[in-house]
Amino acid sequence: DAGVTQSPTHLIKTRGQQVTLRCSPKSGHDTVSWYQQALGQGPQFIFQYYEEEERQRGNFPDRFSGHQFPNYSSELNVNALLLGDSALYLCASSSTAGANVLTFGAGSRLTVL
Amino acid sequence: AQKITQTQPGMFVQEKEAVTLDCTYDTSDPSYGLFWYKQPSSGEMIFLIYQGSYDQQNATEGRYSLNFQKARKSANLVISASQLGDSAMYFCAMRPGLGTGRRALTFGSGTRLQVQP
């Protein structure tokens, strides 16, 4: 049973560029959350998607946007990249029935030069 | 707002010994959930244990137990019989009760545990 799959695993961008990160949730899960983890810190909540809609959003600027598809997979888009956007981006999935526990992917490590 | 504090940046423990990782929290929500996650160098966050604020008994999962003291707002993780594979970052996290509609996990800054042979 595949867990949460994220792609790409690593990528390098330059300031001002745009990036798209992808996430496939664990089988049976319908809710996807995105977290940003800067080096040496705990993850911070970006937003959560359920039924293709953004259900909750953390304290992140509008440069961060997302999408959820009918198959429950999700994308995180970041526009006008800043050096401070360099981080590990973690996707987590859960099911409405078992909403207590999030299953995380291994993350996409973004470096902005 | 919710806040998680982990005051131990790093901990060392001998193999086969028990270790306690500290976590204190602050929240105004009447119900909430507390979690511990393990993050190896690979980056993936691995769920370890969950405690609901209204659960009467402390949660246990194999070698992991959560020492929940509600009045002191602490939720320490106890790992018994440490193994070399337990070396990793450990994060304490919390989330408001499901009835609030708020789903975000708030994480602490983590504790790096190193198990020595």
Side-chain angles (χ1 to χ4, degrees):
Chain A
D1 178 25
V4 177
T5 305
Q6 291 187 244
S7 64
T9 54
H10 295 81
L11 68 166
I12 300 173
K13 294 285 187 177
T14 57
R15 281 178 297 174
Q17 285 189 314
Q18 179 264 345
V19 67
T20 297
L21 307 179
R22 296 175 177 82
C23 173
S24 293
K26 182 179 178 179
S27 177
H29 285 185
D30 56 9
T31 302
V32 173
S33 303
W34 287 91
Y35 288 80
Q36 180 196 64
Q37 186 177 19
L39 196 62
Q41 298 182 19
Q44 287 196 302
F45 175 74
I46 303 175
F47 41 53
Q48 184 182 80
Y49 278 84
Y50 172 69
E51 292 188 337
E52 302 180 49
E53 291 191 358
E54 185 182 288
R55 186 156 70 171
Q56 187 182 355
R57 187 180 184 90
N59 188 25
F60 279 81
D62 292 343
R63 299 186 298 109
F64 290 77
S65 63
H67 190 77
Q68 186 180 34
F69 299 94
N71 67 353
Y72 307 120
S73 67
S74 178
E75 289 182 349
L76 164 65
N77 300 291
V78 186
N79 294 323
L81 285 168
L82 304 174
L83 295 179
D85 295 331
S86 295
L88 180 68
Y89 289 85
L90 294 164
C91 173
S93 71
S94 58
S95 69
T96 307
N100 273 332
V101 178
L102 298 183
T103 301
F104 282 82
S108 294
R109 184 165 297 282
L110 171 65
T111 301
V112 182
L113 301 177
Chain B
Q2 301 190 320
K3 184 177 181 180
I4 294 283
T5 302
Q6 294 181 254
T7 57
Q8 305 156 313
M11 291 279 288
F12 289 90
V13 65
Q14 291 294 122
E15 195 177 7
K16 300 181 184 178
E17 293 187 349
V19 63
T20 298
L21 305 184
D22 294 341
C23 172
T24 58
Y25 62 90
D26 192 23
T27 182
S28 57
D29 293 304
S31 70
Y32 47 89
L34 294 156
F35 303 78
W36 278 91
Y37 279 86
K38 171 185 178 181
Q39 188 177 42
S41 56
S42 61
E44 183 176 354
M45 300 284 279
I46 301 168
F47 167 74
L48 297 178
I49 197 166
Y50 165 80
Q51 177 86 42
S53 58
Y54 286 110
D55 292 344
Q56 294 297 316
Q57 295 201 339
N58 287 344
T60 61
E61 290 284 351
R63 295 187 298 112
Y64 305 107
S65 60
L66 199 153
N67 184 4
F68 180 47
Q69 298 188 45
K70 195 170 183 178
R72 299 180 62 182
K73 295 189 175 181
S74 73
N76 298 340
L77 176 70
V78 180
I79 305 175
S80 63
S82 296
Q83 302 172 356
L84 295 178
D86 292 335
S87 294
M89 284 291 290
Y90 289 80
F91 290 94
C92 180
M94 74 182 302
R95 191 205 60 225
L98 292 176
T100 67
R102 294 170 12 239
R103 313 290 180 181
L105 278 178
T106 299
F107 285 85
S109 56
T111 296
R112 180 169 296 282
L113 177 66
Q114 292 183 264
V115 181
Q116 298 175 318

